[in-house]
Amino acid sequence: MRELLAVEGALTPLSSKTHITYQLYIPEGIDVLEIEFAYDPKTLDDKEASKPLIEEAIRKYVDPALQGVYSRQWDKFHPLQNLLTLSVDDPHGFRGSAHRHPNHQRHILSLHAASPGFFAGQVGEGVWKVTISVHCVVTQECRYRLRIGEGGESHEMASV
């Protein structure tokens, strides 16, 4: 597989509710685009560190009449999870998204097939955009890796 883009980065809780967009030029003649995306860690396993975050969310998002009930059962929301998702735009517009919870994902785009959430179609020449939506980072640090490459002829339909 020929690699077209490979990036890594680190996020903190201040990165929550932001978007990171990478642009790359896709040359003519590519039939299959393969996207691999991963981030770690997935969960905040420290229960005591989770408690104030959960209590804050209960105060912010739960009806005041129910906040006491939720607050007494705060540990049912443990462990908290980081959530990062992907969307892709080809030179003509939106090509799809993968708003999934697994923190290791692999997607395929080609003329006749695409991973769930994406549209099949020509992998056309031009500037493509891949956006990482950082919904929530609850750990002190969350590292991500994004790799985009030209898929081989023997690719399997992939979506995790």
Side-chain angles (χ1 to χ4, degrees):
M1 171 176 28
R2 180 170 55 145
E3 196 165 81
L4 303 169
L5 176 76
V7 293
E8 295 183 7
L11 305 166
T12 70
L14 293 174
S15 308
S16 297
K17 300 179 182 176
T18 64
H19 303 278
I20 302 165
T21 300
Y22 291 98
Q23 295 187 27
L24 67 151
Y25 177 77
I26 302 294
E28 184 178 343
I30 291 183
D31 296 324
V32 179
L33 203 60
E34 184 175 330
I35 301 170
E36 293 179 7
F37 176 60
Y39 62 93
D40 288 296
K42 176 63 180 165
T43 59
L44 174 60
D45 296 321
D46 182 338
K47 202 169 187 176
E48 290 309 311
S50 296
K51 185 176 180 181
L53 298 173
I54 293 168
E55 290 174 337
E56 178 184 339
I58 290 170
R59 284 191 301 275
K60 191 172 184 179
Y61 299 111
V62 174
D63 183 311
L66 299 173
Q67 288 181 1
V69 173
Y70 280 79
S71 292
R72 285 187 291 278
Q73 301 176 6
W74 70 270
D75 57 336
K76 290 186 175 182
F77 300 102
H78 178 76
L80 295 175
Q81 299 182 40
N82 292 326
L83 179 61
L84 283 63
T85 62
L86 284 183
S87 60
V88 176
D89 292 275
D90 67 17
H92 305 290
F94 183 69
R95 187 65 181 259
S97 62
H99 287 198
R100 297 176 175 79
H101 279 275
N103 61 332
H104 292 86
Q105 303 177 15
R106 181 171 169 257
H107 308 287
I108 300 293
L109 296 166
S110 72
L111 178 62
H112 300 292
S115 297
F118 296 95
F119 301 108
Q122 183 178 8
V123 179
E125 175 187 13
V127 176
W128 287 58
K129 296 177 185 173
V130 177
T131 299
I132 299 171
S133 294
V134 184
H135 298 276
C136 188
V137 174
V138 294
T139 55
Q140 289 291 323
E141 182 178 89
C142 179
R143 299 200 60 81
Y144 68 88
R145 296 175 307 279
L146 174 64
R147 187 174 148 271
I148 301 172
E150 178 180 9
E153 292 178 12
S154 63
H155 78 278
E156 296 177 20
M157 179 57 66
S159 183
V160 178

